[in-house]
Amino acid sequence: MSPVSIRPPGAATLMHVAIFCPDVDESIRFYREGLGFSRTYEWTKTYTDTGRTVYQGRGVYIELEGQTYLELFPGGEPGQDSSAGPVHHIGLTVTSVDESYRRCLEAGGLPFGFGDWSGEPTTVTLDGDPEMLVRVAFVRGPAGELIELYEQYSPVITTER
């Protein structure tokens, strides 16, 4: 008998959890030495097809397994209390960012933007090696949580460091 998935067709899956790190290199070292994760992908700029910069600064994916990552960004304070978090957002892989964004708003979610970007569905390039093309949108859930809807157009290619 074949196993049957209990995951509904088209349901979102976890892609990453984004964490602010006071020292990104120290966090990378911890996850490598403490937990054995060695494959990473790094970038310094995320921009749209029109050239608008959505994010500028260091970003690192640490591959946990398959298509699941920790996403590390500079920021935060060591030992900060959990109400302020170091967790910034959760990234969910969806089959259509546009459709998922619409459904989230209809279900009571709120758009969440950064700078002059409203958070609406946008195709962006991460300037790592190799560059990576994705479509993203950001919404706030009912508890105030920040959710990135994520549709992958090119693969994350992590390397041993």
Side-chain angles (χ1 to χ4, degrees), residues 25-42 58 60-62 159-161:
D25 290 319
E26 177 61 18
S27 291
I28 292 170
R29 185 199 63 73
F30 170 81
Y31 284 107
R32 285 183 179 154
E33 293 178 14
L35 294 168
F37 302 124
S38 62
R39 297 179 60 84
T40 60
Y41 175 85
E42 295 196 34
R58 186 176 186 194
V60 179
Y61 282 144
I62 295 177
T159 56
E160 296 282 337
R161 299 270 161 119

Side-chain angles (χ1 to χ4, degrees), residues 37-41 61-70 156 158-159:
F37 302 124
S38 62
R39 297 179 60 84
T40 60
Y41 175 85
Y61 282 144
I62 295 177
E63 184 176 350
L64 303 180
E65 70 165 312
Q67 304 286 314
T68 307
Y69 306 88
L70 290 179
V156 177
T158 56
T159 56

Side-chain angles (χ1 to χ4, degrees), residues 76-90:
E77 298 293 326
Q80 70 189 85
D81 80 39
S82 61
S83 65
V87 173
H88 181 259
H89 68 266
I90 59 171

Side-chain angles (χ1 to χ4, degrees), residues 82-157:
S82 61
S83 65
V87 173
H88 181 259
H89 68 266
I90 59 171
L92 300 177
T93 300
V94 296
T95 55
S96 168
V97 164
D98 297 80
E99 176 66 15
S100 295
Y101 183 76
R102 181 190 63 73
R103 287 187 5 235
C104 283
L105 296 183
E106 288 175 356
L110 300 172
F112 185 88
F114 299 93
D116 66 348
W117 175 46
S118 70
E120 79 280 359
T122 304
T123 300
V124 298
T125 301
L126 283 65
D127 74 345
D129 182 23
E131 287 189 336
M132 192 168 61
L133 188 66
V134 299
R135 188 157 180 83
V136 297
F138 281 86
V139 296
R140 279 238 183 253
E145 70 276 22
L146 183 55
I147 302 163
E148 178 181 13
L149 303 171
Y150 192 95
E151 189 176 347
Q152 194 120 2
Y153 293 155
S154 54
V156 177
I157 299 175

